[in-house]
Amino acid sequence: MREALAEAEAAAAAGDVPVGAVVLDADGNVIARGRNRREAAGDPTAHAELDAIRAAAAAVGGWRLDGLTLVVTLEPCTMCAGAVTAARLDRLVFGAADPRGGAVGSLWDVVRDQRLVPVPEVIGGVLADECLNVILGFFAERRLAASRCCGQSQVSSAAVESPSGRGRTPRKRVRGQPLRGFKSHLHRSWLPPVCWPPASFPGPLADISRGDDPPDPPVSAAPTRGWCGCAD
């Protein structure tokens, strides 16, 4: 798992969500490595597991990976869980669970579905805290970088605020002109405070993901323009 964590760190350095994987032979030697490359490669299927499985198939000279073990820092998704079964891997070892998209016991259990053969051995929770902290740290840095480029909530027009800044300047309603002097919220243009995600992101483990977009903001929240809320 330490080797897989090293691959996860390399993924983070390249701008991808830190998920890493390695494939071990029967003696425990690393024969293949992989990491999340979705952003770097622009490939939606470039998950760490698939990267490692492809490298292992090239190393052994065939697609059947009997007797080999896949070690990955995050619970595989449905796509990767299916690849584990298709590759005939003997064992799957993963670190942190993924309640939002995991397919090895969290949302589904594709790998251990008895209707699919062969059924590999599954060992979960290995160095789970360390694997999770790598992901949380990655998103924490993203939030910090976003907060540096975004300002606080701003009012586009000073006319709608009182000179003292303590509140709105009241205006008298003019007879026969009901809208003249009426100050509605339409006079203000709201910019999001700092940025989405909020400071609590990613919050509980259920809010993290293996590189999917961050969770959508609540319906009541103001829309943003991109990850940090800044104009493109």
Side-chain angles (χ1 to χ4, degrees), residues 21-34:
V22 295
V23 176
L24 312 177
D25 63 15
D27 298 323
N29 300 314
V30 176
I31 65 169
R33 300 172 182 271

Side-chain angles (χ1 to χ4, degrees), residues 15-198:
D16 274 289
V17 174
V19 180
V22 295
V23 176
L24 312 177
D25 63 15
D27 298 323
N29 300 314
V30 176
I31 65 169
R33 300 172 182 271
R35 60 176 180 264
N36 187 21
R37 301 178 187 269
R38 293 212 308 177
E39 297 296 333
D43 181 356
T45 69
H47 286 191
E49 298 93 324
L50 294 186
D51 195 28
I53 288 174
R54 288 168 180 149
V60 302
W63 64 270
R64 294 179 179 273
L65 304 183
D66 308 84
L68 304 183
T69 299
L70 174 66
V71 181
V72 61
T73 58
L74 184 65
E75 179 183 356
C77 65
T78 51
M79 174 181 67
C80 297
V84 169
T85 299
R88 306 292 195 267
L89 285 158
D90 275 10
R91 185 179 297 106
L92 169 66
V93 179
F94 68 88
D98 184 4
R100 191 181 178 209
V104 190
S106 290
L107 292 183
W108 306 277
D109 202 343
V110 174
V111 172
R112 287 174 289 199
D113 191 325
Q114 298 298 316
R115 294 168 295 181
L116 303 175
V117 291
V119 177
E121 178 186 3
V122 175
I123 302 173
V126 178
L127 298 181
D129 290 341
E130 292 187 41
C131 295
L132 175 60
N133 287 337
V134 171
I135 297 176
L136 297 183
F138 173 80
F139 285 111
E141 291 179 3
R142 294 285 292 268
R143 289 201 311 273
L144 180 60
S147 66
R148 288 172 178 167
C149 67
C150 298
Q152 297 296 324
S153 298
Q154 300 178 13
V155 179
S156 62
S157 174
V160 298
E161 296 293 333
S162 66
S164 66
R166 297 179 181 177
R168 293 185 174 186
T169 303
R171 295 181 182 178
K172 296 177 63 176
R173 182 173 177 177
V174 180
R175 184 182 299 274
Q177 297 179 353
L179 296 180
R180 182 177 178 181
F182 176 72
K183 295 180 60 179
S184 73
H185 67 282
L186 297 179
H187 289 224
R188 300 165 61 95
S189 66
W190 190 89
L191 293 178
V194 186
C195 61
W196 181 264

